[in-house]
Structures are given as structure tokens and as C-alpha cells.
Amino acid sequence: MADKHELRDKGLRLTPQRELVLAAVRELGHSTPEEVAEKVRLTHPGINLSTVYRNLETLENVGLVQHTHLGHGGATYHAAEELTHLHLVCGKCEAVGDAPLDVAANFVNALSDEYGFKTDVSHFAIYGTCSNCQ
Amino acid sequence: MADKHELRDKGLRLTPQRELVLAAVRELGHSTPEEVAEKVRLTHPGINLSTVYRNLETLENVGLVQHTHLGHGGATYHAAEELTHLHLVCGKCEAVGDAPLDVAANFVNALSDEYGFKTDVSHFAIYGTCSNCQ
DNA sequence: ATAGTTTGTGCGAATTCTTCGCAACTCGCA
DNA sequence: TGCGAGTTGCGAAGAATTCGCACAAACTAT
Ligand SMILES: [Mn+2]
Ligand SMILES: [Mn+2]
Ligand SMILES: [Zn+2]
Ligand SMILES: [Zn+2]
């Protein structure tokens, strides 16, 4: 009852568009709504961009996907289960590097202890200059 | 030669609009282009929004102002000299708290040592849930 | 299975935010 | 002063996201 019903289990109707949007996000990793739409169109050419936006929002509401801000512009989406790293974004070359979450563990703990603030380190990227661009 | 010529010293022409935009950013702290425009209009009613955008960009290019991302939307600007804290943004209540930069010092050092990545901790906000909203 | 209710979809238009093109203007320099 | 590059205002163009609405599809309950 897992695979075919995970959307129903969340109280959502199961439409081809919705399934495909979720599948696309899972396959693509970080992706913009536009990229998700392109991916979905490979098998469902008629899907409308607003349907993608609406489903991303819906899927985020039930916790199946999340959004992140990697650059100065819009958000990118990823599957909720693959929240395994933080993003190091270089302001010069635009490269996006990964680092394990535990690099930030002490920082996160400090914010929790000193400010009672529970940090989601991967919602916003960590911005700076990568080693190649120093 | 400091005060009246800081713009000239940076190689920029001195126009009323440009001076007022810089002054507005300094007085307002974090502010959107729209807020900067409103402030400037108090003394220079005719200023155009695109002039504000262009001057923010110009001033950023010479290092007098910087932009930050505090929320899911557009950027906010602040004077370069007041980069004294990082921002804790609560995803639930939208509150923006401050914390001294040195809370992040170890984290920044770790990224530098382990990845050669020079972090600008205040370009993006630190996102999470504040103590009131747990 | 069928009919009815509810929710989702496509489509086009509307918003919002930011950038452009260009003629008129003005700042700084000779 | 007077010229020439840099700036400004303005309207239009873009880009990204959201809305309104009629029609279609999915679930619910016969
Ligand atoms: Mn930025
Ligand atoms: Mn966000
Ligand atoms: Zn780089
Ligand atoms: Zn809060």
C-alpha cells in the first residue's frame, strides 16, 4: 500500500500530473518549477506550468517536497527525504558544492542553546567564495 | 574630502539621486528597493524606481552597499559598513532576529579549513523556527 | 456500475518585481 | 562656456508566479 498510495495517504487525490511532478522532483534533485515541467512533459506533454506550481505547493504542504534557495533568484525544489547536505554556493562562479550537515552541527547547536532557534541549515544556501575562485 | 566626495572617490558621478539612495539605505537598515524609493521621495519626489534599482546596483559594485536575502522573496539592501550580525529568520512568524557574527565563527572556520570555502554568513539569512514558535 | 460532489487542470489574463531602450538632461572636465 | 560620457525619467518589455473560471477527472456514496 505504499508505493501507489503515498499521495492518497497524505489525503491527496492521485492525478497523473501530481504523480509525475513528484517523480520529477525525486529524479532531478534540486530543480526549478520550469525544469520540473520540462521533465514531466517528456511523458505528459500537455502539463501546464501553473499545474506544476500548484502541485509543488501542495506536495510541500504535505511534506513530500521542500524548497531551497540556492541563488539570488527563485526557489528550487527537492524531495523531502534527500535532505542530506548543505549547499555551498560560490558568488563568483555560481558553482554549488555540497557539504555534510554535520559540518554545521556545532553552529546549529549554538543557535539552539543561545537563542532557542531551531535552524534548518539547508533552506538557504551557504554563500561565499569557493576554493577555485579565491 | 571625505563626506561630500565619497561617491566621487569611488569614481562615480555625484547626483542628487545617488546621494539620496545611499543616504536612504544607511538610514533604513535592511530595505527593499521600493522602501528606498519611498524614503528618497520624501525629499526628491520625482525619483524613478528604475533609478533606485540602477543606483543600488552601482553602489553595490563599488562596495558601498550590499544586498541580503532575508526571506523567500527579493533582496534587501544595507550599508556595507553595518555588516555586524547575522539574521535568524523564523519560517513561522516571519520574525527576523539578530545574532553576532561570532556565533558562526567556528562554522565559518570549518568550511574554510575543510573545503577552502570562504563564507559570507550574512548574505543569506539563517532560516529556522524561533523560540516563540517551537 | 452510476450519479453526484469535490478537487484538479488547462488556459489566458493579471500581478509583481526587475530590467531595458531611448531621448533629454547634467555632471565633471577642458 | 561647451563638449561628451554618464544618468535620469518614462514607458515598455521581461521574467516569474499567481488567479479566475469553465471543463475534466477523481473520489464517494449509492
Ligand atoms: Mn544575493
Ligand atoms: Mn523559502
Ligand atoms: Zn567559485
Ligand atoms: Zn517565529
Side-chain angles (χ1 to χ4, degrees):
Chain A
M1 66 184 43
D3 219 49
K4 212 48 182 173
H5 300 289
E6 61 180 331
L7 291 172
R8 305 293 317 282
D9 291 346
K10 297 289 187 178
L12 300 179
R13 281 199 187 172
L14 193 120
T15 68
Q17 291 90 337
R18 191 163 283 165
E19 272 190 302
L20 289 165
V21 165
L22 178 54
V25 170
R26 286 181 170 157
E27 290 170 42
L28 292 171
H30 307 111
S31 44
T32 63
E34 189 65 58
E35 290 166 337
V36 171
E38 277 170 39
K39 177 79 176 175
V40 172
R41 288 195 186 111
L42 297 177
T43 56
H44 189 105
I47 197 173
N48 194 273
L49 232 204
S50 22
T51 299
V52 173
Y53 273 99
R54 285 183 290 225
N55 276 321
L56 287 171
E57 183 181 4
T58 301
L59 293 170
E60 186 160 35
N61 286 339
V62 298
L64 288 170
V65 310
Q66 293 186 333
H67 77 266
T68 316
H69 303 274
L70 295 185
H72 308 205
T76 61
Y77 288 81
H78 60 271
E81 57 266 24
E82 53 131 325
L83 242 198
T84 53
H85 52 275
L86 46 84
H87 306 103
L88 308 181
V89 173
C90 177
K92 293 191 179 166
C93 70
E94 307 264 276
V96 179
D98 287 350
L101 283 184
D102 54 82
V103 190
N106 290 333
F107 176 49
V108 170
N109 288 337
L111 290 176
S112 178
D113 294 347
E114 296 172 34
Y115 301 90
F117 189 87
K118 302 300 184 218
T119 301
D120 169 7
V121 256
S122 48
H123 187 81
F124 283 113
I126 307 300
Y127 187 85
T129 310
C130 76
S131 53
N132 293 117
C133 292
Q134 307 284 333
Chain B
M1 62 186 46
D3 219 49
K4 210 50 178 171
H5 299 287
E6 63 180 330
L7 292 172
R8 306 292 318 283
D9 292 346
K10 297 287 188 178
L12 300 179
R13 282 203 188 168
L14 191 115
T15 67
Q17 291 90 335
R18 191 164 282 165
E19 273 191 300
L20 289 165
V21 165
L22 178 54
V25 169
R26 286 180 169 157
E27 290 171 43
L28 292 172
H30 306 110
S31 44
T32 63
E34 189 64 59
E35 290 166 337
V36 171
E38 277 170 38
K39 177 80 176 175
V40 172
R41 287 196 185 109
L42 296 177
T43 57
H44 189 104
I47 197 173
N48 193 274
L49 230 205
S50 25
T51 300
V52 173
Y53 273 98
R54 286 184 290 226
N55 276 322
L56 288 171
E57 183 181 5
T58 301
L59 294 170
E60 185 158 36
N61 286 339
V62 300
L64 287 170
V65 311
Q66 293 185 333
H67 77 266
T68 315
H69 303 275
L70 295 185
H72 308 203
T76 62
Y77 288 81
H78 61 271
E81 57 266 24
E82 53 131 324
L83 242 199
T84 53
H85 53 274
L86 48 85
H87 306 102
L88 308 181
V89 173
C90 177
K92 293 191 180 166
C93 70
E94 306 266 275
V96 180
D98 287 347
L101 283 185
D102 54 82
V103 189
N106 291 334
F107 176 49
V108 169
N109 288 337
L111 290 176
S112 178
D113 294 347
E114 296 172 34
Y115 300 90
F117 190 87
K118 302 300 184 217
T119 302
D120 170 7
V121 257
S122 49
H123 186 81
F124 283 111
I126 307 300
Y127 188 86
T129 309
C130 77
S131 53
N132 294 117
C133 292
Q134 308 284 335

